[in-house]
Amino acid sequence: MMTHTTLPPRRTPGAPPDAREPAHVPVAHVVRGGLVEGVHHGSVVVLAADGSVEFQAGDIEAAFYPRSALKPVQAVGLLRAGLPPLDAASLALTAASHSGEERHLATALRMLHSAGLSEDDLRNVPDLPYGAPERDDWLRRGLGPSRLAQNCSGKHAAMLITARARGFRLEDYLDPGHPLQWEIAATVEDLTGQGIARVTLDGCGAPLFSVSLHGLTRAVARLATAAPETEEGRVADAMRAHPEMVAGEGRDVTRLMRAIPGLIAKDGFEGVGIAALPDGRAVGVKIADGADRARMPVTAAALARCGVDPRTLAAFATAPVIGGGQSVGALRAAGALAPVSVP
């Protein structure tokens, strides 16, 4: 069973980040009835428009797994590897962790059919829809886990049609040694500006490349500032045009992109979040314990450091703490982020 591996050395812009235990710091407090009930540790980086580090907390240089927050970078890698032309909604789904809405499933299926493929060709792990309303409806209809319903099916469909276009093997497209995955890895190294420290498998079964939080945030800033005709710009523009395909109705990533013009944003399991503005200002967040509830309040506080209007961020800056069916406190950014977090 695979745990992790390393890539053979090749020419990269920088050395791989250190594979060490990250030195995280407190970044969010859970406040109930006026007392701090819980503390979430993590790391945060804010980049200025020129790419310099404007703010950092915790350990932004340790190797970590970005999980699904890496999907926009992988989508660029697929374009560079020969992904056939897609409409903007399909390209946004390639970078998505979708909710399993009907439009998400229909788009992924249409992508497969365009290359003469079907759901049976997918090799991602079958799952229920990720979105809570979609999952409830799925179960009411008596349906079980499905490769198409799994939230990464857009990425997997794009991998398959790219492999077919290039004449690569289809049956093992998820093998880290597959030529398609090697080309995606090369893009990850190019855009992050550093070598890959470790390779393992993500929850969906696709290869997962470890970089640093700094490197990941640098990569998303490159997408956000890219010219429209470039592969990076095409992915960024697709995400901006179709935030509903990147996540889904009611999901915080979709709502955040709709609230802030020009922003691209992506979440990932284990408390990872990235966001970047068209001028290159960008933020990266990793919550140490993987708690998704802390990701968006910390991301909002980091975006406030970028100069985003706190009034725009107010809807994202806190999460309610419930007692007896009513709000008795809030989860909010803490530590060095607290002075600029939205009250």
Side-chain angles (χ1 to χ4, degrees), residues 228-288:
E229 66 275 10
T230 64
E231 289 89 355
E232 298 94 317
R234 288 168 60 192
V235 171
D237 285 347
M239 295 173 69
R240 292 177 181 123
H242 294 281
E244 76 285 354
M245 300 301 285
V246 177
E249 290 301 327
R251 296 267 299 281
D252 56 20
V253 166
T254 293
R255 293 188 294 109
L256 187 68
M257 285 193 283
R258 286 175 174 167
I260 303 173
L263 185 82
I264 60 173
K266 186 70 185 73
D267 54 344
F269 279 164
E270 296 300 319
V272 183
I274 52 172
L277 293 156
D279 65 359
R281 290 174 291 161
V283 306
V285 170
K286 164 62 182 173
I287 305 302

Side-chain angles (χ1 to χ4, degrees), residues 4-270:
H4 71 260
T5 187
T6 56
L7 294 172
R10 50 185 161 172
R11 296 192 338 181
T12 63
D18 287 342
R20 61 171 183 261
E21 181 178 351
H24 295 302
V25 299
V27 293
H29 284 166
V30 181
V31 179
R32 181 186 295 269
L35 294 178
V36 175
E37 182 178 40
V39 179
H40 290 289
H41 290 68
S43 295
V44 180
V45 61
V46 176
L47 300 183
D50 64 2
S52 62
V53 175
E54 182 87 9
F55 170 86
Q56 69 179 87
D59 193 344
I60 67 171
E61 303 297 352
F64 87 123
Y65 290 117
R67 303 300 298 270
S68 286
L70 192 63
K71 284 178 178 173
V73 179
Q74 291 171 303
V76 174
L78 286 166
L79 286 173
R80 292 183 179 183
L83 176 64
L86 296 175
D87 60 78
S90 298
L91 187 54
L93 193 72
T94 298
S97 299
H98 65 71
S99 291
E101 297 172 16
E102 183 55 39
R103 61 183 161 192
H104 299 147
L105 308 189
T107 300
L109 200 56
R110 186 171 64 250
M111 292 165 64
L112 290 167
H113 289 170
S114 72
L117 300 167
S118 72
E119 180 178 358
D120 292 338
D121 294 296
L122 294 169
R123 292 292 179 266
N124 56 319
V125 176
D127 201 357
L128 299 173
Y130 181 70
E134 292 77 17
R135 183 170 57 253
D136 290 345
D137 179 65
W138 193 264
L139 292 172
R140 278 195 298 269
R141 292 158 58 193
L143 300 175
S146 157
R147 297 187 193 276
L148 194 65
Q150 198 269 339
N151 75 87
C152 306
S153 62
K155 177 181 74 175
H156 283 258
M159 287 179 175
L160 275 169
I161 64 177
T162 305
R164 169 145 287 184
R166 289 288 300 276
F168 293 153
R169 301 181 309 273
L170 300 184
E171 63 275 8
D172 63 342
Y173 74 94
L174 295 183
D175 189 316
H178 192 283
L180 177 64
Q181 301 301 337
W182 276 94
E183 295 196 25
I184 294 172
T187 294
V188 171
E189 292 182 326
D190 174 45
L191 294 180
T192 62
Q194 57 191 187
I196 292 168
R198 295 284 190 275
V199 182
T200 190
L201 298 182
D202 209 338
C204 64
L208 178 61
F209 308 112
S210 64
V211 293
S212 70
L213 185 62
H214 188 184
L216 176 67
T217 309
R218 186 163 49 225
V220 73
R222 290 186 62 178
L223 268 65
T225 58
E229 66 275 10
T230 64
E231 289 89 355
E232 298 94 317
R234 288 168 60 192
V235 171
D237 285 347
M239 295 173 69
R240 292 177 181 123
H242 294 281
E244 76 285 354
M245 300 301 285
V246 177
E249 290 301 327
R251 296 267 299 281
D252 56 20
V253 166
T254 293
R255 293 188 294 109
L256 187 68
M257 285 193 283
R258 286 175 174 167
I260 303 173
L263 185 82
I264 60 173
K266 186 70 185 73
D267 54 344
F269 279 164
E270 296 300 319

